[in-house]
Each structure stands twice: as structure tokens, then as C-alpha cells.
């Protein structure tokens, strides 16, 4: 039996491998490789088989993607990598000459992946709630995409508006907070998240797919602020906000209990949650100031009512608290000032209401339509003597185009042409009485027509004002110059007045020392000199004092005049410092500094010069006859007549000082005993 079995096996091997020694099987095939999405009919592998050998699949799958044609295994349908990446096909090789002899082989087909599908998100849109002031860098949501073709995806986030959010990494879909979020500043944010299966930039020719989704972020309010009494001014300090309120005011009548809730300004009294996204209900209470329990407050509404009448006038200040019902640690306080006043017996009444007027332009006053006089808006109160209540204030309700200043109505903003209906309010701030009246105003030219004057008109006005200003400055400068120049002239006039007072006495009247000085003829810049007196000045002063003494001791008027003239000539120093000498009566008289016969033209030289010499022995009387008053002139005439009677044998010559000219010095007129002298004028010179 064993021998028979061995022989059978040897026979089988001989049939299967006819070429003994080469061990050639009935069939064989290499494994195949196929790219997904390849075309139908693609040859996956070629099977090596002997002649007369047939091929067939052993237990193929129901959706077998392959078929056998001859010695080839062919793709019968397109393969998808995502459905399967490897196929194992068993094939039976049978020899037709001897069907008992057959062989089974295995062919492995590998499907090569191709990037033919993009990433996908599980939802097209998402909703996300983020609490305000969430710490920075905290992850608030993860939104990863799935890609069957790729295990690596690249993400990009678009934020609208661009505030608050970002990606933790470009390789994942985790959303993080990038900056603090304030509910009062931003309440919602739209995020658009993109996922791409290739990195940027994508190489040319490489397929790339992108998916996107939308994330709607809602910022939720955090309970981090106390109640806010209304109205208030909201002040921002960094991310914090402060509600600044100024309290409430009201009034009640003395010895009278008010049944209704008090009317407060600004009213009514109420508070809101500082976190308006939460808007927690409030509970109200009076903390202090309610002496005698005159008032009570409704815990839910905040309305304040009276429990009894007030018997003492004056202000009552209540401290009121509002706290959250769910969190009593969040609270705020305010003050309510209630004035207890004497009851008003009469309500204010508008005089002349209803009003009507007309206005012609922006900034103009409204005038009456009847007589073109200013429209006066005034309310009277019979509780006051004369009807004028100082506690009444006026306001225009419902518009800011018009405003009341005092009792007059003004157009403050642009208003269309035509009739405008206004409502004016008068409120007694002491007792709270409020009345209103209608005002009809006809706007005859638009406010923009302030436009009665254009840019050219304004330019012309500006040029005119500039010219007037220039002229005014010129006049002021001229007056300043005249004032400064007049200082020296008045100094000269003062010195001349001394000279005139000394010479203005008639013969026979003793002079109290006739002193002649050169002060009035100094240079202007020397007028303030305070240095030590020169020897010449001392000599002049000594000569003047000597002459004065001699004048008092001399009885004869002629001798007084003669000696005075001699003293005047002697006291004037010569230019070389030598003592002045007097020549004879008939000789030429040399008068140096002040009196001179010859007009001097040196720079800065000031002198008084005579057309004819005055001889001391000529018995000439020197008198001053002021031109400004007739009385002085009559006195001088009397003195001249008296002198003429006393000296009949020698008529005196009268020297008259006339009008003073401040610009040129002293102007002196001379007359001969009441008649004008032709050649004996005294002239002044300022060189």
C-alpha cells in the first residue's frame, strides 16, 4: 500500500512539472498595484501559465472589481482608496488535459491613494457662547475637520470684527481667546474656519481641497457691575465703567401730606443692573435721613411716598440703596433731597400766550408778528409781589433749533422756511409747578442763510477793520510823540513863566530879585541831568542873588531895570569860560548864551536874540503883557501909564511877551509906550 501511494505522488509531480528538474508550476502571477480612480479595463497583473491551463477565481467577493481574460487579470470597475486599499484574489489553475491536476495561487492587489477628496467639517455652522473677560489663551472650542485622503490638515481663521479670537495652532481647529472681551463693547463675533489638505503655498499640479465652517460667537455678560441709578454719566476707566449720578430732588408742601408718589427730578427714581446683559431685578430701601419716618419707599418700584405731613420747613436728604435681588453684594446708593416749602397758592401763568413771531435768520431774535418788537416770553405768579417769580426757569420742549435766553427766543440751528410750532415750558423750581404754552414762529430765511453775508463780505469787513486799526495806531503813535516832545516844551514854558513874572511889574514896583537862567534852553536830553553844577552855573546863581539884593534896596525903578539887565548880561558865561564883559552904551553888545544880536546857527545852540540892542541906560521898561486875558492887559496898561507919568522926560519902551509857541520857543512882541515898535522885537531861536 505504501508503495502505491509513493508512485502516485511521483506521477502527479511528473504531470504537474513535465520538465522534471525545472520545478515549473502550472501557473504563477505577481502582485498588482492600482491607483484609485483608475479607468476600467486597466490590466492589474498578467498570470504565467502552461499551455492548456485554465484560470478562475476562487470564492470571489460579490462586488469583485476584477475579471480574468486569458492570462490577464483586468480592472472591471474603478477602485476607491477610501473603500479599500488592498485586495487578495485567489485563482485556481487547472490543466485541461488532466483536470485532476490543478493549482491555487494568490494575487495581492494594492490600491494606491490619490488626493481626490477634500476635508469636511461635521457641521456647516456652529454656535459658541463665550463669557466676557475670559482669560487670554484659554481654549473655548475645538472644530477639527476630517479628510479621508490626508491625515494632515492646515487651518486658517477669519474673525469679524477682528477682535478677541485666534487659533491655538495652524495644525488644529482649537479656538482660543486672544484678548479680553467686554460685553458692552462687543456682543457677537463671526468666525470662519478653513481647513486645507495641503500646506500653503500649494505646489503647482498638486491637487488641493479646502473646507470651511462658520462659528457664531455670542459674548455673554458677566455679573461684575453694581446697579446704576438712572440717569447717569458713564465714565470708562480702562475696561471698567463707572456710572456717575447726581441724585434726585423733589418738594412737598409744609403741613400737607401728599397722597401720590413724590415727583422727583430727574425722575422717576430707579436703578438698572450695570450688567445690562443680565438685567437682574432690584430691591430698594431707605438707609438714613428719614427722620420721623416721614417717607417710605416701595421695595420693587422705588416710588417714595409720605407717611405723614412735614411740620418743619427746609431740606430733607434721604440716602436710598438699590441692591440686586439675586446678589445683594451688588448694590449702589444715591441721595434724594426733598424741599419742604410753603404751598403755592397760584400756578404761574404765561403772559400773552399763545405766542406768535417771526425770525429772519440763524442767531436772530424772534420778533412779534404784529409790531416788530422782540417777542417776550414770561410767566407771572400771583404768589409774588409784582408777579415776578425768580424760581421760574424756561425751556423749549422737543427741539434744539430754538433756545430761550432770558425772556427772548432765538433761532440757534438751521430750520426750514415756513411756520414752526414750538412748545415752551415754565417750571417753578421751588414748588415744582410746570406750565406750557404754544409758540408759532415763521422762519422767513433759512438759518444757513446767515448767508446774508458771504465770504467776500466778511473779507471786506476784515479789510476795513484792519485799515481802521492801522489809522488808530498811527494816531496813538503821533499823540505819544507829541506828549514826549511836549515835556521839554513845557519845561521851557515854565522857565519862561519865571522870566515873565519877574519882568511883568511896572516901574516903581520893586522886584524880588530878577533871576535869569538858561534851564529852558538846554538840550532835551540834558533835562534830567543831576550832576554837580558847573562853575559858570554857580557864578550865574551868585550874580542873580546879588542882583536880587540890589533890586530890593534900590528905590528908583529905572535903576532897578538897568541893574537887572546888567546882571542878566554879566551872569551869562562866555564859550571859552572867561567872564562876560559889558561894553559901552554906544558899542556893540555881545550877548552869549541867551540874548544875542546875531542869530547863532551852531548845532544844538539855543538863544534869544534882539533885532536892536537894549541899552541899560536907555531907561527901557520891560513888561509882560499876557494875551490870554483882558484883565492882565489892562493891568499892564495901567502900569505903563504910571511909568510914563513918572518919567515924562524919557519915554519907556515896553517889551511884550505874546503867545507862547511850544514848538519854536518864546515869541516876544515889543511895543513903544503902547504903540508897536518896528525894530525892537525880541525873537527866539532854536538851532
Amino acid at each position: 500500500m505504501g508503495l502505491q501511494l509513493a508512485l502516485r505522488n511521483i506521477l502527479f509531480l511528473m504531470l504537474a512539472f513535465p520538465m522534471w528538474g525545472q520545478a515549473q508550476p502550472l501557473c504563477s502571477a505577481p502582485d498588482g498595484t492600482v491607483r484609485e480612480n483608475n479607468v476600467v479595463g486597466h490590466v492589474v497583473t498578467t498570470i504565467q501559465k502552461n499551455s492548456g491551463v485554465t484560470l478562475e477565481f476562487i470564492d470571489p467577493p460579490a462586488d469583485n472589481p476584477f475579471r480574468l481574460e486569458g492570462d490577464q487579470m483586468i480592472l472591471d470597475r474603478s477602485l476607491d482608496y477610501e473603500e479599500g486599499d488592498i485586495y487578495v484574489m485567489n485563482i485556481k489553475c487547472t490543466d485541461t488535459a488532466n483536470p485532476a491536476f490543478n493549482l491555487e495561487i494568490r494575487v495581492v492587489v494594492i490600491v494606491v491613494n490619490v488626493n481626490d477628496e477634500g476635508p469636511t467639517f461635521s457641521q456647516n455652522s456652529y454656535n459658541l457662547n463665550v463669557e466676557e473677560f475670559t482669560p487670554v489663551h484659554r481654549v473655548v472650542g475645538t472644530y477639527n475637520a476630517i479628510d479621508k485622503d490626508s491625515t494632515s490638515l492646515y487651518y486658517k481663521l477669519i474673525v469679524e470684527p477682528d477682535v478677541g479670537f485666534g487659533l491655538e495652532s495652524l495644525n488644529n481647529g482649537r479656538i482660543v481667546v486672544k484678548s479680553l472681551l467686554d460685553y458692552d463693547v462687543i456682543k457677537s463675533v463671526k468666525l470662519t474656519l478653513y481647513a486645507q489638505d495641503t500646506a500653503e503655498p500649494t505646489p503647482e499640479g498638486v491637487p488641493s481641497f479646502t473646507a470651511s465652517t462658520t462659528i457664531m460667537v455670542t459674548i455673554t455678560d458677566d455679573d461684575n457691575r453694581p446697579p446704576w441709578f438712572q440717569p447717569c454719566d458713564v465714565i470708562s476707566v480702562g475696561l471698567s465703567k463707572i456710572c456717575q449720578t447726581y441724585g434726585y430732588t423733589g418738594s412737598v408742601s409744609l403741613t400737607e401730606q401728599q397722597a401720590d408718589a413724590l415727583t422727583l427730578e430727574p425722575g422717576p427714581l430707579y436703578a438698572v443692573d450695570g450688567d445690562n446683559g443680565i438685567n437682574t431685578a432690584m430691591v430698594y430701601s431707605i438707609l438714613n435721613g428719614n427722620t420721623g419716618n416721614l417717607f417710605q419707599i416701595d421695595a420693587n418700584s422705588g416710588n417714595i411716598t409720605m407717611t405723614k405731613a412735614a411740620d418743619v420747613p427746609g431740606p430733607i436728604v434721604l440716602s436710598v440703596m438699590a441692591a440686586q435681588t439675586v446678589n445683594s453684594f451688588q448694590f449702589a446708593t444715591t441721595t434724594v433731597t426733598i424741599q419742604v416749602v410753603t404751598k403755592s397758592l397760584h400756578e404761574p401763568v404765561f403772559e400773552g400766550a399763545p405766542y406768535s413771531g417771526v425770525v429772519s435768520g440763524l442767531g436772530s431774535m424772534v420778533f412779534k408778528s404784529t409790531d416788530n418788537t422782540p417777542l417776550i416770553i414770561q410767566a407771572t405768579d400771583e404768589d409774588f409781589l409784582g408777579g415776578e417769580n425768580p424760581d421760574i426757569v424756561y425751556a423749549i420742549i422737543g427741539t434744539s433749533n430754538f433756545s430761550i435766553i432770558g425772556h427772548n427766543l432765538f433761532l440757534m440751528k438751521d430750520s426750514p422756511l415756513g411756520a414752526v410750532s414750538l412748545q415752551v415750558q415754565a417750571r417753578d423750581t421751588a414748588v415744582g409747578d410746570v406750565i406750557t404754552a404754544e409758540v408759532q414762529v415763521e422762519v422767513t430765511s433759512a438759518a444757513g442763510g446767515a448767508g446774508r453775508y458771504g465770504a467776500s463780505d466778511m473779507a471786506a469787513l476784515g479789510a476795513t477793520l484792519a485799515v481802521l486799526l492801522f489809522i488808530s495806531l498811527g494816531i496813538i503813535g503821533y499823540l505819544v510823540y507829541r506828549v514826549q516832545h511836549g515835556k521839554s516844551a513845557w519845561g521851557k514854558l515854565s522857565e519862561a513863566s519865571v522870566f515873565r513874572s519877574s519882568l511883568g511889574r511896572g516901574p516903581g514896583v520893586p522886584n524880588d530879585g530878577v533871576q535869569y537862567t538858561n534851564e529852558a534852553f538846554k538840550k532835551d536830553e540834558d533835562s534830567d541831568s543831576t550832576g554837580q553844577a558847573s562853575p559858570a552855573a554857580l557864578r550865574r546863581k551868585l550874580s542873580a542873588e546879588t542882583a536880587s539884593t540890589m533890586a530890593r534896596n534900590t528905590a528908583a525903578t529905572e535903576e532897578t531895570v538897568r541893574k537887572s539887565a546888567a546882571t542878566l548880561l554879566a551872569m551869562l558865561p562866555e564859550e571859552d569860560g572867561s567872564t562876560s564883559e559889558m561894553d559901552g552904551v554906544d558899542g556893540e553888545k555881545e550877548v552869549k548864551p541867551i540874548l544875542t544880536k546875531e542869530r547863532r546857527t551852531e548845532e544844538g545852540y539855543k538863544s534869544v536874540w534882539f533885532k536892536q540892542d537894549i541899552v541899560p541906560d536907555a531907561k527901557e521898561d520891560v513888561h509882560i503883557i499876557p494875551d490870554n486875558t483882558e484883565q492882565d492887559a489892562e493891568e499892564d496898561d495901567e502900569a505903563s501909564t504910571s511909568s510914563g507919568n513918572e518919567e515924562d522926560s524919557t519915554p519907556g519902551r515896553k517889551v511884550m511877551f505874546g503867545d507862547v509857541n511850544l514848538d519854536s520857543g518864546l515869541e516876544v512882541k515889543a511895543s513903544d509906550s503902547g504903540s508897536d515898535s518896528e525894530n525892537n522885537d525880541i525873537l527866539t531861536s532854536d538851532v
Side-chain angles (χ1 to χ4, degrees):
M1 180 66 68
L3 180 60
Q4 292 178 354
L5 182 60
L7 291 174
R8 184 181 294 178
N9 290 334
I10 292 172
L11 180 61
F12 173 77
L13 292 174
M14 290 176 64
L15 292 174
F17 302 99
M19 299 183 65
W20 186 262
Q22 295 183 1
Q24 182 176 359
L26 290 178
C27 62
S28 64
D31 294 334
T33 301
V34 179
R35 291 172 62 86
E36 70 171 331
N37 303 324
N38 215 327
V39 296
V40 176
H42 174 73
V43 177
V44 178
T45 186
T46 299
I47 301 172
Q48 303 293 328
K49 68 183 182 66
N50 295 330
S51 177
V53 176
T54 61
L55 304 174
E56 61 177 331
F57 289 113
I58 301 174
D59 299 328
D63 57 346
N64 185 10
F66 307 104
R67 72 176 186 267
L68 293 172
E69 291 184 1
D71 59 352
Q72 293 180 334
M73 188 170 69
I74 298 174
L75 191 63
D76 198 35
R77 65 178 176 83
S78 180
L79 298 179
D80 188 353
Y81 177 84
E82 286 71 32
E83 295 179 359
D85 58 351
I86 187 170
Y87 292 86
V88 179
M89 303 303 295
N90 294 317
I91 301 174
K92 180 180 179 180
C93 302
T94 303
D95 188 351
T96 57
N98 187 4
F101 295 95
N102 55 67
L103 180 67
E104 293 182 7
I105 61 175
R106 177 179 294 177
V107 177
V108 178
V109 180
I110 298 175
V111 180
V112 178
N113 187 25
V114 175
N115 188 17
D116 60 346
E117 293 189 19
T120 58
F121 289 96
S122 60
Q123 296 178 212
N124 291 330
S125 63
Y126 300 87
N127 292 318
L128 174 64
N129 292 332
V130 178
E131 192 176 80
E132 68 172 341
F133 303 120
T134 297
V136 177
H137 304 308
R138 175 174 292 180
V139 177
V140 293
T142 301
Y143 305 92
N144 288 325
I146 298 174
D147 192 342
K148 296 178 181 180
D149 289 336
S150 177
T151 57
S152 298
L153 295 177
Y154 305 91
Y155 293 86
K156 179 173 64 175
L157 184 66
I158 303 298
V159 183
E160 299 175 287
D162 187 11
V163 60
F165 296 97
L167 287 172
E168 181 186 56
S169 170
L170 296 179
N171 301 112
N172 61 62
R174 286 193 289 271
I175 309 297
V176 299
V177 175
K178 289 294 186 181
S179 62
L180 291 178
L181 301 167
D182 186 354
Y183 176 83
D184 294 328
V185 177
I186 185 73
K187 292 180 173 59
S188 63
V189 179
K190 178 183 177 182
L191 306 179
T192 304
L193 182 62
Y194 294 90
Q196 186 173 328
D197 56 9
T198 58
E200 294 288 350
T202 303
E204 185 177 356
V206 176
S208 178
F209 298 92
T210 302
S212 66
T213 188
T214 301
I215 306 169
M216 296 303 301
V217 181
T218 299
I219 310 301
T220 60
D221 202 355
D222 185 25
D223 188 11
N224 59 351
R225 293 196 180 105
W228 288 356
F229 281 99
Q230 299 298 303
C232 70
D233 296 331
V234 179
I235 302 172
S236 297
V237 182
L239 292 177
S240 300
K241 287 183 172 58
I242 300 173
C243 179
Q244 184 177 6
T245 184
Y246 303 96
Y248 301 85
T249 60
S251 63
V252 296
S253 298
L254 184 66
T255 68
E256 181 177 319
Q257 181 180 354
Q258 183 173 325
D260 299 330
L262 302 186
T263 300
L264 303 177
E265 289 291 338
L269 182 148
Y270 75 103
V272 298
D273 191 344
D275 301 301
N276 52 33
I278 300 176
N279 199 21
T280 303
M282 300 294 156
V283 58
Y284 302 91
S285 60
I286 297 177
L287 296 180
N288 54 53
N290 193 14
T291 304
N293 295 321
L294 289 176
F295 304 96
Q296 63 182 7
I297 189 169
D298 187 288
N300 297 320
S301 66
N303 289 334
I304 298 177
T305 56
M306 299 184 69
T307 60
K308 56 185 176 181
D311 55 1
V312 178
I316 299 175
V317 181
L318 304 178
S319 178
V320 176
M321 180 180 74
Q324 293 182 4
T325 55
V326 297
N327 183 6
S328 60
F329 292 101
Q330 295 284 25
F331 65 90
T333 61
T334 188
T335 58
V336 179
T337 303
I338 301 173
Q339 295 287 346
V340 180
V341 298
T342 303
K343 183 178 179 179
S344 175
L345 300 178
H346 301 89
E347 190 177 64
V349 176
F350 276 107
E351 289 185 339
Y355 300 98
S356 64
V358 61
V359 65
S360 60
L362 183 64
S364 300
M365 181 187 297
V366 177
F367 286 81
K368 292 181 180 179
S369 303
T370 55
D371 56 5
N372 201 31
T373 59
L375 179 64
I376 304 300
I377 296 177
Q378 186 173 11
T380 59
D381 191 342
E382 294 185 9
D383 290 336
F384 291 82
L385 183 64
E388 185 173 352
N389 184 349
D391 297 322
I392 292 180
V393 295
Y394 301 90
I396 298 296
I397 303 174
T399 181
S400 59
N401 291 351
F402 291 83
S403 179
I404 293 181
I405 302 177
H407 295 288
N408 299 109
L409 186 62
F410 291 85
L411 178 62
M412 306 304 292
K413 294 182 179 179
D414 291 345
S415 183
L417 296 176
V420 178
S421 180
L422 306 175
Q423 189 175 45
V424 60
Q425 179 190 83
R427 180 168 59 90
D428 189 336
T429 57
V431 299
D433 291 340
V434 177
I435 59 172
T436 59
E438 295 295 326
V439 182
Q440 294 292 329
V441 179
E442 182 74 19
V443 181
T444 59
S445 66
R452 290 179 299 176
Y453 301 105
S456 59
D457 299 324
M458 295 298 101
L461 177 61
T464 303
L465 293 177
V467 171
L468 293 177
L469 177 62
F470 179 78
I471 294 175
S472 300
L473 291 175
I475 294 174
I476 292 173
Y478 175 75
L479 293 176
V480 171
Y481 167 78
R482 294 293 299 163
V483 169
Q484 295 295 331
H485 185 72
K487 288 182 179 180
S488 59
W490 280 108
K492 297 175 183 179
L493 180 61
S494 176
E495 293 294 334
S497 298
V498 174
F499 182 73
R500 293 169 60 183
S501 62
S502 299
L503 297 179
R505 302 174 183 176
V509 179
N511 291 325
D512 295 333
V514 180
Q515 301 183 13
Y516 302 90
T517 66
N518 201 25
E519 294 297 328
F521 299 92
K522 288 183 179 180
K523 293 182 179 180
D524 294 341
E525 59 270 18
D526 297 334
S527 60
D528 295 332
S529 176
T530 57
Q532 186 176 359
S534 62
L538 294 176
R539 185 168 61 84
R540 287 196 299 271
K541 182 177 181 181
L542 180 60
S543 300
E545 293 175 354
T546 304
S548 176
T549 302
M550 294 176 63
R552 285 194 299 268
N553 295 331
T554 305
T557 301
E558 296 84 352
E559 186 66 13
T560 299
V561 174
R562 183 185 64 79
K563 291 183 179 181
S564 296
T567 303
L568 175 62
L569 297 176
M571 60 187 280
L572 300 176
E574 297 179 354
E575 292 182 358
D576 57 357
S578 60
T579 305
S580 175
E581 295 179 1
M582 294 183 59
D583 296 335
V585 174
D586 297 330
E588 292 292 330
K589 304 300 185 299
E590 183 179 6
V591 181
K592 291 299 182 183
I594 297 179
L595 304 178
T596 178
K597 179 178 180 182
E598 299 173 356
R599 184 169 185 175
R600 307 298 296 268
T601 61
E602 289 87 341
E603 181 79 22
Y605 189 91
K606 299 181 180 181
S607 62
V608 178
W609 57 284
F610 286 56
K611 288 184 178 180
Q612 278 192 354
D613 297 336
I614 297 178
V615 182
D617 295 335
K619 298 183 182 298
E620 294 172 338
D621 295 332
V622 180
H623 300 279
I624 297 175
I625 303 177
D627 290 344
N628 54 350
T629 60
E630 296 180 357
Q631 180 179 358
D632 292 341
E634 292 174 358
E635 291 176 358
D636 289 339
D637 291 340
E638 293 175 359
S640 176
T641 305
S642 174
S643 175
N645 294 333
E646 293 176 4
E647 300 292 339
D648 294 340
S649 61
T650 307
R653 176 178 297 174
K654 183 184 297 181
V655 180
M656 297 181 297
F657 288 75
D659 294 335
V660 177
N661 187 332
L662 295 180
D663 290 333
S664 60
L666 296 178
E667 181 181 355
V668 184
K669 296 184 292 184
S671 63
D672 189 3
S673 297
S675 62
D676 293 341
S677 175
E678 296 179 358
N679 298 319
N680 293 312
D681 294 342
I682 299 177
L683 304 180
T684 63
S685 174
D686 243 341
V687 181

